[in-house]
């Protein structure tokens, strides 16, 4: 705002206090000023942004750029909902875009971005967590009841096989192998239900990611190429390192399986996002600035399950249990964090958002 004839101090305070990223754009589509929320959104200082071409720093649909210029010519405000807005070195975020002329300053425009309210997604996460707890509670009870007769069936089949001709052994072998497969599935269900509360402590996320990467390359991800794009200045997270390792391993395994036997590339990226805040139903905002993105170049998630991928027993794999991503969602929810996914053929990205170590713990 200082770029336009120095406003009153009250105007400066209002400008600085706006809770959404706001840009003042001059007649040449260069950034004349930004507020603190915009600095956080772009992850750059006000000083470095002033004078830059706005569309070089704010990645937005070309149709919005055209509408922006038209609104300047007509002198009318414009509101557009659900627009993907990104910035250099950060993934797009769905926003509502507000455009308005700055009264008294011909050619100058205000551009405000309202990232889509995360409360709806948090409600979805909470619902998924509740649904998972209910489903797993029932499944745990069934698992306990089913495992006992399965053990009897397996034992009986093994006894029968001792007196059968070789040609008939195929049938008893099938009974034993399928019984064991069911037991393995039931054990996964029990593991989900028995997951303990996180043991919170300061966590170096890069240590967790390195452990997961080494484990993946020595096992299920041996056919994959894993690229690291780490922010070396990332502060410590507040979480359970073992549970977070389980989350990352699960996501790396999914990416490896999606690539098939031909292999592919997984990119693991970390960055700090100042303005990422999760607003809860009680109105309190939870700052989640630590970001981990795990991307693969596989075929993408089936569109039919994309919206429900974190629900228990929803799977895009032929023989999948549908518990892996439900477990990931549960762990991140227990960490008071947030998980999201963007997927299209050739690019699927899971994003984890976590909190820093609380000040009182430092």
């Amino acid at each position: 705002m200082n770029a336009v004839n120095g406003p009153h101090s009250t105007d400066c305070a209002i400008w600085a206090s706006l809770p959404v990223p706001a840009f003042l754009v001059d007649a040449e589509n260069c950034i004349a000023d930004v507020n603190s929320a915009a600095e956080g959104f772009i992850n750059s200082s006000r000083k470095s942004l002033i004078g830059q071409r706005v569309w070089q720093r704010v990645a937005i649909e070309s149709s919005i750029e055209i509408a922006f210029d038209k609104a300047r010519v007509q002198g009318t405000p414009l509101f557009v909902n659900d627009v993907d807005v990104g910035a250099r070195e950060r993934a797009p975020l769905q926003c509502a875009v507000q455009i308005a002329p700055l009264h008294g300053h011909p050619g100058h425009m205000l551009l405000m971005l309202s990232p889509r309210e995360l409360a709806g997604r948090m409600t979805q996460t909470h619902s998924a967590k509740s649904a998972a707890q209910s489903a797993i509670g029932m499944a745990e009870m069934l698992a306990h009841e089913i495992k006992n007769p399965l053990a009897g069936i397996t034992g009986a089949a093994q006894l029968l096989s001792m007196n059968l001709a070789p040609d008939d052994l195929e049938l008893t072998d099938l009974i034993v192998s399928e019984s064991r497969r069911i037991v393995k599935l039931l054990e996964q269900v029990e593991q989900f239900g028995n997951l303990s509360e996180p043991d919170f402590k300061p966590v170096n996320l890069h240590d967790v990611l390195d452990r997961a990467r080494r484990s993946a390359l020595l096992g299920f991800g041996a056919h994959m190429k894993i690229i690291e794009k780490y922010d070396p200045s990332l502060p410590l997270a507040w979480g359970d390192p073992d549970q977070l390792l389980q989350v990352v391993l699960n996501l790396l395994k999914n990416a490896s399986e999606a690539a098939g036997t031909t292999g592919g590339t997984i990119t693991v990226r970390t960055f700090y996002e100042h303005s990422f805040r999760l607003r809860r139903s009680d109105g309190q905002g939870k700052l989640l600035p630590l970001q981990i993105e795990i991307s693969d170049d596989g075929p993408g998630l089936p569109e039919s399950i994309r919206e429900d991928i974190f629900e228990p027993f929803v799977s895009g794999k032929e023989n999948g249990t549908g518990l892996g991503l439900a477990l990931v969602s549960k762990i991140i929810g227990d960490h008071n964090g947030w998980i999201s996914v963007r997927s299209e053929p050739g690019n699927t990205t899971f994003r984890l958002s976590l909190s820093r170590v609380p000040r009182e713990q430092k």
Side-chain angles (χ1 to χ4, degrees), residues 71-92:
R72 175 188 283 123
V73 172
Q74 296 176 349
T76 56
L78 178 67
F79 178 87
V80 184
N81 205 6
D82 294 337
V83 178
D84 286 334
V85 182
R88 187 181 302 171
E89 296 301 321
R90 61 153 293 164

Side-chain angles (χ1 to χ4, degrees), residues 196-211:
S196 59
E197 291 296 315
D199 179 16
F200 285 99
K201 61 185 68 174
V203 180
N204 185 323
L205 291 178
H206 294 151
D207 287 346
V208 171
L209 294 172
D210 284 340
R211 286 171 60 194

Side-chain angles (χ1 to χ4, degrees), residues 170-188:
E170 183 180 349
L171 296 175
T172 54
D173 288 346
L174 178 63
I175 294 172
V176 171
S177 63
E178 287 300 291
S179 296
R180 287 175 176 168
R181 187 178 66 83
I182 296 171
V183 168
K184 186 177 180 180
L185 171 59
L186 295 174
E187 287 173 347
Q188 291 183 50

Side-chain angles (χ1 to χ4, degrees), residues 275-328:
S275 60
F276 197 100
R277 184 178 295 272
L278 190 66
R279 190 163 300 280
R280 305 187 177 282
S281 56
D282 60 3
Q284 296 296 314
K286 176 72 173 178
L287 194 61
L288 302 173
L290 308 183
Q291 313 298 321
I292 300 172
E293 287 189 341
I294 298 177
S295 306
D296 68 73
D297 55 0
L301 296 171
E303 189 172 350
S304 59
I305 65 169
R306 202 170 294 168
E307 298 297 322
D308 304 313
I309 195 63
F310 298 114
E311 298 283 349
F313 310 117
V314 173
S315 176
K317 293 179 281 190
E318 183 177 351
N319 295 313
T321 64
L323 291 177
L325 288 176
L327 178 61
V328 165

Side-chain angles (χ1 to χ4, degrees), residues 5 16 51 67 91 105 130 143-144 170 173 178 189 211-212 249 257 278 281 312 327 342 345 347:
N5 299 332
H105 301 280
S130 298
H144 180 73
E170 183 180 349
D173 288 346
E178 287 300 291
V189 172
R211 286 171 60 194
L249 281 172
E257 291 176 348
L278 190 66
S281 56
L327 178 61
R342 304 187 313 275
N347 184 10

Side-chain angles (χ1 to χ4, degrees), residues 104-326:
H105 301 280
H108 284 75
M109 302 289 288
L110 285 173
L111 171 65
M112 291 188 290
L113 309 174
S114 301
R116 191 169 70 176
E117 181 56 53
L118 297 180
R121 296 189 190 179
M122 185 175 174
T123 300
Q124 182 181 9
T125 301
H126 178 74
S127 299
K129 185 177 177 181
S130 298
Q133 289 172 339
S134 299
I136 296 302
M138 177 65 71
E140 277 189 287
M141 181 185 70
L142 290 173
H144 180 73
E145 296 299 324
I146 292 172
K147 285 174 73 174
N148 288 332
L150 273 177
I153 292 170
T154 303
Q158 290 173 328
L159 288 172
L160 282 173
S161 66
M162 298 171 64
N163 299 313
L164 291 177
D167 293 342
D168 296 325
L169 286 177
E170 183 180 349
L171 296 175
T172 54
D173 288 346
L174 178 63
I175 294 172
V176 171
S177 63
E178 287 300 291
S179 296
R180 287 175 176 168
R181 187 178 66 83
I182 296 171
V183 168
K184 186 177 180 180
L185 171 59
L186 295 174
E187 287 173 347
Q188 291 183 50
V189 172
E190 290 178 325
Q191 178 194 12
F192 191 111
N194 292 332
L195 189 68
S196 59
E197 291 296 315
D199 179 16
F200 285 99
K201 61 185 68 174
V203 180
N204 185 323
L205 291 178
H206 294 151
D207 287 346
V208 171
L209 294 172
D210 284 340
R211 286 171 60 194
R213 179 185 59 83
R214 289 196 300 268
S215 178
L217 291 175
L218 291 172
F220 57 79
H223 61 302
M224 302 294 291
K225 177 182 179 182
I226 300 180
I227 298 174
E228 301 166 347
K229 293 185 177 180
Y230 294 167
D231 177 355
S233 64
L234 201 70
L236 297 177
W238 185 239
D240 184 320
D242 291 333
Q243 290 193 12
L244 292 176
L245 176 63
Q246 189 174 1
V247 165
V248 177
L249 281 172
N250 196 300
L251 295 178
L252 290 177
K253 186 176 182 181
N254 280 356
S256 300
E257 291 176 348
T261 56
T262 56
T265 300
I266 300 173
T267 302
V268 182
R269 176 173 172 245
T270 63
F271 59 100
Y272 192 93
E273 187 168 333
H274 301 268
S275 60
F276 197 100
R277 184 178 295 272
L278 190 66
R279 190 163 300 280
R280 305 187 177 282
S281 56
D282 60 3
Q284 296 296 314
K286 176 72 173 178
L287 194 61
L288 302 173
L290 308 183
Q291 313 298 321
I292 300 172
E293 287 189 341
I294 298 177
S295 306
D296 68 73
D297 55 0
L301 296 171
E303 189 172 350
S304 59
I305 65 169
R306 202 170 294 168
E307 298 297 322
D308 304 313
I309 195 63
F310 298 114
E311 298 283 349
F313 310 117
V314 173
S315 176
K317 293 179 281 190
E318 183 177 351
N319 295 313
T321 64
L323 291 177
L325 288 176

Side-chain angles (χ1 to χ4, degrees), residues 25-76:
V25 182
D26 66 18
E28 304 300 322
N29 278 349
C30 291
I31 298 173
D33 205 351
V34 298
N35 69 347
S36 57
E39 290 181 284
F41 185 84
I42 300 295
N43 201 21
S44 297
S45 68
R46 174 179 176 273
K47 183 178 180 180
S48 67
L49 290 171
I50 290 178
Q52 296 282 315
R53 300 286 293 181
V54 65
W55 306 128
Q56 290 179 353
R57 302 310 302 265
V58 180
I60 203 166
E61 298 174 11
S62 57
S63 59
I64 301 299
E65 297 180 29
I66 297 170
F68 185 90
D69 293 334
K70 190 175 295 185
R72 175 188 283 123
V73 172
Q74 296 176 349
T76 56

